[in-house]
Amino acid sequence: MIRVVLVDDQALFRAGIRMLVASQPDLEVVGEAGDGKEALDVVRMTRPDVVLMDIRMPVMDGLTATAEILARPEPPRIVMLTTFDLDEAAARAIRQGASGFLLKDADPEFLLAAIRTVHSGSSVIAASATRDLFEHFAEAPKPVPAQYTELTDREREIFALAARGLSNSEIAAREYLSEATVKTHISRILSKLALRDRVQLVVFAFEHGLA
C-alpha cells in the first residue's frame, strides 16, 4: 500500500481527494491536515510515502512545511498542489526538493498516476511542465559544478534531452536506443550528479545554465 497524507485548508477538496484515493486498492489515506503546521505533526505520526501539499494555507504555508519535512531523515515524496500553471511558489518548492506539482483541477486519473509515479521514484510528474515553470522563473545561472564534467559525451546528450522534458521513450526514439538503455543512462547521470529524480535534473540544468 502507498500511504498518502493530504494537506489542504479546504475540507471539501480534501474529502474529494480522500474518496478518490480510497477507491484504489493500492492507495491509502493515512492522515490529513488543514495547514502546514498541522501537517508537520501528521507526517511525523503517520510516516506516509507521499504527501499532497497545498501551497497557500493559513498558519503555515506549504513552502515552509515542505522545507521542514524534507529536512527530516527519510522524508516522504512531496507533490505541491497549485491552481496556477506558472506558479513561482511551486518553482521554489521544487528547488527545495519537492517531487513536482499538480494543478488542483487535474484529471482524477492523472492525480492517481502521479502518486504512483512519485512513489516509484523512477520518473517524475510532468518534467515538461517543470521545464516550462523554470523557463518562466529563471534566475541567473550558477557556475557548472565539477561533477558535470564527469559525464560522458553520451550522458551529456541524454542529460540535455531529459532537461528538455523528454520521456525515456521519446529519448529512445530520438537516439535509436532501447528504453532500458536510456533508463540506465539516466540512472548513471542522477548518481554522478547526486540528484534524486528527473525533476531535480531539470532544476539542475536551469540553475547552471545547461537547459
Side-chain angles (χ1 to χ4, degrees):
M1 293 289 285
I2 300 174
R3 297 164 57 81
V4 180
V5 161
L6 310 176
V7 185
D8 193 284
D9 61 332
Q10 298 178 10
L12 190 60
F13 179 80
R14 292 202 312 272
I17 300 298
R18 181 175 65 246
M19 289 171 53
L20 176 65
V21 171
S23 71
Q24 303 299 300
D26 61 328
L27 305 178
E28 176 186 16
V29 175
V30 295
E32 295 182 35
D35 61 64
K37 188 173 186 299
E38 186 181 355
L40 299 179
D41 294 331
V42 171
V43 168
R44 184 178 63 252
M45 291 186 293
T46 61
R47 300 188 62 79
D49 301 304
V50 177
V51 177
L52 300 180
M53 177 79 75
D54 189 19
I55 290 180
R56 292 166 180 83
M57 295 179 291
V59 185
M60 179 186 288
D61 63 33
L63 285 176
T64 305
T66 294
E68 292 201 24
I69 291 170
L70 291 176
R72 297 173 178 175
E74 299 182 11
R77 299 274 179 163
I78 299 181
V79 179
M80 310 308 294
L81 300 173
T82 178
T83 54
F84 307 107
D85 271 309
L86 295 175
D87 189 337
E88 186 174 12
R92 288 170 56 198
I94 291 169
R95 284 193 176 95
Q96 290 175 350
S99 294
F101 71 96
L102 280 173
L103 294 178
K104 284 191 168 186
D105 61 357
D107 290 339
E109 289 303 317
F110 185 79
L111 185 145
L112 294 172
I115 293 172
R116 296 184 178 103
T117 297
V118 167
H119 177 256
S120 74
S122 61
S123 56
V124 70
I125 296 172
S128 57
T130 303
R131 177 183 167 80
D132 291 342
L133 186 72
F134 278 86
E135 280 184 334
H136 195 74
F137 297 110
E139 298 178 355
K142 303 175 184 176
V144 177
Q147 60 260 43
Y148 179 76
T149 64
E150 297 174 7
L151 299 184
T152 65
D153 289 343
R154 189 53 154 168
E155 287 169 349
R156 291 190 193 189
E157 292 173 2
I158 301 296
F159 172 94
L161 294 173
R164 287 170 50 189
L166 274 66
S167 66
N168 285 357
S169 60
E170 290 169 333
I171 294 173
R174 184 185 178 103
E175 297 296 307
Y176 303 102
L177 300 169
S178 70
E179 284 193 49
T181 299
V182 173
K183 187 174 181 180
T184 298
H185 279 305
I186 293 291
S187 294
R188 287 175 180 165
I189 291 167
L190 295 178
S191 177
K192 287 182 178 181
L193 299 180
L195 303 173
R196 190 186 63 231
D197 54 32
R198 291 175 68 130
V199 159
Q200 296 301 306
L201 185 152
V202 172
V203 174
F204 181 96
F206 271 92
E207 288 187 335
H208 298 97
L210 299 169

